[in-house]
Amino acid sequence: MLFTKALRRDLVNLAGTVFATLFVIMLTTSLIRLLGRAAGGRVDTGSVLPLIAFNAITVLPVLLVLTIYIAVLMSLTRAYRDSEMVIWFTSGRSLAAWVRPVLGFAGPIALVVAVIAFFVSPWAERQASDYQQRFAQREDISQVSAGRFRESVSANRVFFVEELNEAQTEVRNVFVTQKRGDLVTVVVSRSGRIENERDGTRFLVLEDGRRYDGSMGRPDFRLMEFERYGLRLESRSPALADQRAKVKPTLELLRDPTPRHLGELSWRISLPVSALLMALLAIPLSAINPRVGRSINLLVALLVYVTYSNLTSLVQAWISGEKLSFGIGAWVLHAAVLALAGLLFWRRMTLPRRPLRRLVSRA
């Protein structure tokens, strides 16, 4: 039909616009957050772009669910505002006739959400975790940024390097302070370089510098000048595998059904299911009441989505904490939302008939 084709065209156009807007907002916030962490030395500057890409993949299912919801809501709201729905109702069609074209639009996107949530998103989480762990395992001097103070692995040594070459093997104007109990050692050098021993030990060899030895609470320090001075670079202990449930493949969650794994599995299941349910909810929620205003239905729709999203996270937490069984938590919330959608459909479909009944009774 003409209305159905027009609806699909509007949904596709609105979905592209909404998704592009949400995606740009997500990229901007991720870039700001990761650049702040990189400036603080918690993330490698060379890993910012890969981490943004992996983060985009992990939040993509949520963005697609929001895209479906907003696109259906805005499209049908425009139809009410332009009186197209009046023509639809007077032609003998009900609101339920919109279910099939809307689900036809939301179904393929929900399938994409399922593929990403079950397979692609855990892979992206593992890749992001590997990037962060590799940076955490680097030696002291490898984590030094030019012009910034950095603490060592054992938290008893502080580095400051004014210049660092691209290969991170030579440094200029080095300041190192080390504390052992009450003893304090300060080393200042014009230059230095990293040397590797045969046994794999790495040293920062400083040249043309001075060393000051003293103790806390005493003003006198012992001065020693040197031509070469070696500092052993500490390495971190081997990293443990990331045991978070969100980084594990779906098949592993199924093979090892612990409460945390079941909680994560319920979250992944909820993403494609919520895509379809939110598309259904958007149909009755898009109705405009001229006496109330055009924006009230948008506020109600926003409240419904926020409540549904928070309850989904709450159910996941309850399943992980063994407060709710997976057999109940995996479907009870979605069944309640489906019942709410059915109630709203019934209410919207019966309201237009009441004025007609009054007119018939008066005649």
Side-chain angles (χ1 to χ4, degrees), residues 75-296:
S75 180
L76 294 184
T77 299
R78 184 201 58 78
Y80 275 101
R81 186 180 63 248
D82 296 342
S83 300
E84 294 180 6
M85 297 300 291
V86 176
I87 302 174
W88 178 266
F89 292 140
T90 55
S91 64
R93 305 289 290 180
S94 67
L95 191 64
W98 291 100
V99 173
R100 185 173 181 180
V102 167
L103 290 183
F105 161 76
I109 303 179
L111 182 61
V112 174
V113 170
V115 172
I116 297 175
F118 284 109
F119 304 105
V120 184
S121 183
W123 171 83
E125 289 280 2
R126 290 195 302 272
Q127 296 300 317
S129 177
D130 291 343
Y131 266 87
Q132 295 177 0
Q133 287 189 3
R134 282 198 297 267
F135 176 73
Q137 296 307 306
R138 297 168 66 179
E139 290 88 354
D140 289 342
I141 197 63
S142 300
Q143 299 187 32
V144 170
S145 300
R148 297 187 61 87
F149 288 92
R150 288 302 308 272
E151 194 175 42
S152 67
V153 175
S154 57
N156 66 346
R157 184 186 294 171
V158 177
F159 290 90
F160 178 85
V161 175
E162 185 176 349
E163 296 181 10
L164 184 66
N165 68 343
E166 295 183 358
Q168 294 186 343
T169 56
E170 296 183 1
V171 292
R172 297 285 182 182
N173 297 331
V174 184
F175 170 85
V176 182
T177 177
Q178 184 172 353
K179 181 181 178 182
R180 295 179 179 176
D182 292 336
L183 300 178
V184 178
T185 300
V186 179
V187 180
V188 182
S189 174
R190 293 182 180 180
S191 63
R193 63 181 181 274
I194 298 176
E195 295 184 357
N196 298 319
E197 299 294 331
R198 294 181 179 179
D199 58 354
T201 306
R202 306 186 73 191
F203 285 87
L204 174 62
V205 180
L206 303 179
E207 300 174 345
D208 298 330
R210 295 180 179 181
R211 171 176 169 172
Y212 301 87
D213 294 317
S215 60
M216 300 292 294
R218 298 183 60 181
D220 54 327
F221 277 80
R222 185 179 62 180
L223 172 62
M224 180 183 67
E225 295 184 354
F226 58 84
E227 293 183 0
R228 287 170 55 89
Y229 182 83
L231 287 173
R232 182 176 179 178
L233 298 179
E234 302 176 11
S235 59
R236 296 181 183 267
S237 57
L240 299 176
D242 196 341
Q243 298 298 323
R244 293 179 301 167
K246 63 170 59 179
V247 305
K248 296 185 177 181
T250 303
L251 294 179
E252 184 175 347
L253 299 182
L254 293 173
R255 286 195 298 264
D256 186 17
T258 63
R260 290 185 178 273
H261 290 179
L262 292 177
E264 176 63 23
L265 188 61
S266 70
W267 168 256
R268 297 181 188 180
I269 294 174
S270 68
L271 290 172
V273 174
S274 63
L276 298 176
L277 291 179
M278 297 311 294
L280 287 176
L281 270 176
I283 299 176
L285 289 175
S286 60
I288 296 178
N289 188 348
R291 298 181 179 179
V292 178
R294 297 180 178 180
S295 59
I296 188 64

Side-chain angles (χ1 to χ4, degrees), residues 288-307:
I288 296 178
N289 188 348
R291 298 181 179 179
V292 178
R294 297 180 178 180
S295 59
I296 188 64
N297 67 315
L298 298 179
L299 295 177
V300 172
L302 177 62
L303 180 61
V304 169
Y305 174 78
V306 172
T307 303

